[in-house]
Amino acid sequence: MFKNVIVRVPSTTVCDGITSADLGKPIYTKAAAEHETYVSALTKTGVNVTVLEPHKEFPDSCFIEDDALCTSKCAIITRPGASTRRKEVELQDLSDVLHKFYDHVEQIQAPGTIEAGDIMMVGDHFYIGLSARTNEEGAKQMINILEKYGLSGETVPLKEVLHLKTGLSYIENNNLLINGEFLNDPRFDKFNKIEVDDDEAYGANSIWLNGYVLVPAGYPKTQKKIENLGYKVIVVDTSEFRKIDGGLSCLSLRF
Ligand code: CIR
């Protein structure tokens, strides 16, 4: 069960977020409205949501998932691989809120880089994508920290997507949403794989919270597959965030 969620409100500069998409710039007012709906959806799952203030100097800072890994034992502040995001993790309110919830707050050090969108939690085990944002050193430091607290981790090389969870989401009960380059990876053979069709690839980034699955709006085949597994589905429109490569998981820390 998750008890707590932390989000950061998008700032007016969200339109300047990093992107590889060709979907135009997000419109701030729409992004802000989508974010409010996202927070309401989270609240319906029974979690307490802490809402942090927007920060204009960091257009991507609403994607707070990348800034920390929140485990059952400790929180680990990351060191983002994207240079414009590197100092996001130095925001005092992030450190303050993590110290409020955790006795143990660790930090990834240079030259390690890691963004927690590359980390998928399955119980006490963590899959860590090696991506353009997360390097071997960052993953190694993360695994060492996890092991210190009785947790474990392993790396997963990735080539095509931004982050590991762009193409994979663990929705508990051994069910794994999976798309693209991960489909034939033997690491994931032990899971009940729910294949997300390529024309709905963005739907692979859905999030489980307390028996609910939040699914992005506009991916009906994926939504149906998740409903057929017996989950209560809440559909949330994140189309403004998609314009800058962001999805449902990126917008929160869940623990
Ligand atoms: C970035 O490129 O860093 C942001 N525009 C999107 C981050 C998405 N985060 C995630 O997948 N965890």
Side-chain angles (χ1 to χ4, degrees):
M1 294 291 282
F2 290 133
K3 285 198 189 125
N4 295 297
V5 171
I6 303 169
V7 300
R8 184 180 298 286
V9 172
S11 103
T12 50
T13 59
V14 69
C15 44
D16 298 324
I18 309 167
T19 190
S20 63
D22 195 13
L23 299 167
K25 283 179 180 283
I27 295 161
Y28 165 69
T29 48
K30 284 193 184 169
E34 285 182 3
H35 197 265
E36 279 178 24
T37 310
Y38 177 70
V39 171
S40 310
L42 291 167
T43 306
K44 281 185 199 144
T45 72
V47 293
N48 285 312
V49 184
T50 303
V51 181
L52 303 184
E53 292 295 307
H55 274 277
K56 276 191 183 167
E57 61 276 44
F58 299 112
D60 284 303
S61 57
C62 55
F63 301 120
I64 194 167
E65 165 173 78
D66 295 319
D67 295 340
L69 180 70
C70 290
T71 77
S72 57
K73 306 273 168 57
C74 62
I76 302 122
I77 297 176
T78 64
R79 185 167 179 271
S83 57
T84 57
R85 304 197 60 189
R86 182 74 44 86
K87 287 185 183 291
E88 253 175 57
V89 297
E90 294 173 16
L91 290 170
Q92 191 59 42
D93 59 353
L94 177 70
S95 170
D96 289 348
V97 76
L98 293 175
H99 280 96
K100 179 181 149 204
F101 285 110
Y102 285 98
D103 292 335
H104 305 284
V105 179
E106 305 269 355
Q107 182 131 27
I108 301 297
Q109 308 293 339
T113 67
I114 193 160
E115 296 184 2
D118 273 321
I119 309 181
M120 182 174 75
M121 178 177 82
V122 178
D124 285 344
H125 189 68
F126 293 78
Y127 293 90
I128 304 177
L130 296 174
S131 68
R133 304 287 181 88
T134 294
N135 65 17
E136 294 264 8
E137 171 62 21
K140 192 174 127 201
Q141 288 182 31
M142 184 59 78
I143 292 170
N144 285 342
I145 294 169
L146 291 170
E147 288 178 349
K148 195 167 112 181
Y149 292 93
L151 308 169
S152 59
E154 70 179 286
T155 56
V156 183
L158 58 101
K159 295 188 201 79
E160 287 161 22
V161 287
L162 173 63
H163 287 128
L164 184 73
K165 282 185 291 189
T166 311
L168 274 183
S169 296
Y170 185 61
I171 55 170
E172 302 295 321
N173 305 321
N174 205 43
N175 293 323
L176 182 67
L177 299 178
I178 186 163
N179 171 257
E181 64 186 293
F182 305 116
L183 273 166
N184 296 318
D185 187 327
R187 288 178 185 83
F188 304 115
D189 283 351
K190 62 176 178 238
F191 294 100
N192 175 34
K193 294 184 196 177
I194 297 116
E195 183 172 346
V196 175
D197 295 346
D198 286 342
D199 62 346
E200 294 205 355
Y202 183 80
N205 185 259
S206 293
I207 49 174
W208 177 94
L209 291 119
N210 304 338
Y212 290 83
V213 179
L214 272 55
V215 180
Y219 305 92
K221 291 183 286 179
T222 308
Q223 181 184 335
K224 189 82 198 147
K225 286 178 191 174
I226 297 170
E227 281 167 353
N228 287 346
L229 291 165
Y231 294 105
K232 291 171 276 188
V233 164
I234 306 178
V235 175
V236 183
D237 185 5
T238 50
S239 51
E240 292 306 308
F241 299 101
R242 183 180 173 216
K243 294 175 178 174
I244 48 171
D245 298 340
L248 283 165
S249 76
C250 323
L251 288 167
S252 59
L253 295 168
R254 304 163 296 281
F255 53 99

Coordinates of all heavy atoms in Angstrom, one line a residue, residues 17-19 60 63 65-66 85 115 117 133 162-163 166 244-246 249-250, ligand 1:
G17 N 10.0 22.8 -21.2 CA 10.6 21.5 -20.8 C 11.3 20.8 -21.9 O 11.0 21.0 -23.1
I18 N 12.2 19.9 -21.6 CA 13.0 19.1 -22.6 C 12.0 18.2 -23.3 O 11.1 17.6 -22.7 CB 14.0 18.2 -21.9 CG1 14.9 19.0 -20.9 CG2 14.9 17.5 -23.0 CD1 15.7 18.1 -20.0
T19 N 12.2 18.1 -24.6 CA 11.3 17.2 -25.3 C 12.0 16.5 -26.5 O 12.9 17.1 -27.1 CB 10.0 17.9 -25.8 OG1 9.1 16.9 -26.3 CG2 10.3 18.9 -26.9
D60 N 11.2 21.5 -15.9 CA 10.8 20.0 -15.8 C 10.6 19.6 -14.4 O 10.5 18.4 -14.1 CB 11.9 19.2 -16.5 CG 11.8 19.2 -18.0 OD1 10.8 18.9 -18.6 OD2 12.8 19.6 -18.6
F63 N 8.2 17.0 -12.9 CA 8.4 15.6 -13.1 C 9.3 15.1 -11.9 O 10.4 14.6 -12.0 CB 9.1 15.3 -14.4 CG 8.2 15.7 -15.6 CD1 8.7 16.7 -16.5 CD2 7.0 15.2 -15.7 CE1 7.9 17.1 -17.5 CE2 6.2 15.7 -16.8 CZ 6.6 16.6 -17.7
E65 N 9.2 12.7 -10.0 CA 9.7 11.3 -9.8 C 11.2 11.1 -10.1 O 11.8 10.3 -9.5 CB 8.9 10.4 -10.9 CG 9.5 9.1 -11.1 CD 8.7 8.1 -11.9 OE1 8.8 8.3 -13.2 OE2 8.1 7.2 -11.4
D66 N 11.7 11.9 -11.0 CA 13.1 11.8 -11.4 C 14.1 12.2 -10.3 O 15.2 11.9 -10.4 CB 13.4 12.5 -12.7 CG 12.6 11.9 -13.8 OD1 12.5 10.7 -13.9 OD2 12.0 12.7 -14.7
R85 N 18.3 19.8 -15.5 CA 17.6 19.3 -14.3 C 18.5 19.0 -13.1 O 18.0 18.7 -12.1 CB 16.8 18.0 -14.8 CG 15.9 18.3 -15.9 CD 14.9 17.2 -16.1 NE 14.1 17.1 -14.9 CZ 13.2 16.1 -14.6 NH1 13.0 15.1 -15.5 NH2 12.5 16.1 -13.5
E115 N 18.1 9.1 -12.9 CA 16.8 9.8 -12.8 C 15.9 8.6 -12.4 O 15.9 7.6 -13.1 CB 16.4 10.4 -14.1 CG 17.4 11.6 -14.5 CD 17.0 12.4 -15.7 OE1 16.0 12.1 -16.3 OE2 17.8 13.3 -16.0
G117 N 12.9 8.0 -12.9 CA 12.0 7.4 -14.0 C 12.6 6.2 -14.6 O 11.9 5.4 -15.2
R133 N 20.2 9.1 -19.4 CA 20.1 9.9 -18.2 C 20.8 9.2 -17.0 O 21.1 9.9 -16.0 CB 18.7 10.3 -17.8 CG 17.9 11.0 -18.9 CD 18.3 12.4 -19.1 NE 17.5 13.1 -20.1 CZ 16.3 13.7 -19.9 NH1 15.8 13.7 -18.7 NH2 15.7 14.3 -20.9
L162 N 13.0 7.0 -23.3 CA 13.7 8.0 -22.4 C 14.1 7.3 -21.1 O 15.3 7.3 -20.7 CB 12.8 9.1 -22.2 CG 13.2 10.2 -21.2 CD1 14.5 10.9 -21.6 CD2 12.1 11.2 -20.9
H163 N 13.1 6.7 -20.5 CA 13.3 6.1 -19.1 C 12.8 4.7 -19.1 O 11.9 4.4 -20.0 CB 12.6 6.9 -18.1 CG 13.2 8.2 -17.7 ND1 12.4 9.4 -17.7 CD2 14.4 8.6 -17.3 CE1 13.2 10.4 -17.3 NE2 14.4 9.9 -17.1
T166 N 9.2 4.4 -19.2 CA 8.4 4.9 -20.3 C 7.8 3.7 -21.0 O 6.7 3.7 -21.6 CB 9.4 5.6 -21.3 OG1 10.2 6.5 -20.7 CG2 8.7 6.2 -22.5
I244 N 6.1 17.1 -23.6 CA 7.5 17.2 -23.2 C 7.9 15.8 -22.5 O 8.6 15.8 -21.5 CB 7.7 18.4 -22.2 CG1 6.7 18.5 -21.1 CG2 7.7 19.7 -23.0 CD1 7.0 19.5 -20.1
D245 N 7.4 14.8 -23.1 CA 7.9 13.4 -22.7 C 7.5 13.0 -21.3 O 8.1 12.1 -20.8 CB 9.4 13.2 -22.9 CG 9.9 13.4 -24.3 OD1 9.0 13.3 -25.3 OD2 11.1 13.7 -24.5
G246 N 6.5 13.6 -20.7 CA 6.2 13.3 -19.3 C 4.9 12.5 -19.3 O 4.0 12.6 -20.1
S249 N 3.6 8.5 -14.2 CA 4.5 8.2 -13.1 C 5.4 9.4 -12.8 O 5.7 9.7 -11.7 CB 5.3 6.9 -13.4 OG 6.4 7.2 -14.4
C250 N 5.9 10.1 -13.9 CA 6.9 11.1 -13.7 C 6.4 12.2 -12.8 O 7.2 12.9 -12.2 CB 7.1 11.8 -15.1 SG 7.1 10.7 -16.5
Ligands
CIR1 C1 12.6 15.3 -19.3 O1 13.0 15.2 -20.5 O2 13.4 15.2 -18.4 C2 11.2 15.7 -19.1 N1 10.8 16.6 -20.1 C3 10.3 14.5 -19.0 C4 10.7 13.7 -17.8 C5 9.8 12.5 -17.7 N2 10.0 11.8 -16.5 C6 9.9 10.4 -16.4 O3 9.7 9.7 -17.3 N3 10.1 10.0 -15.2

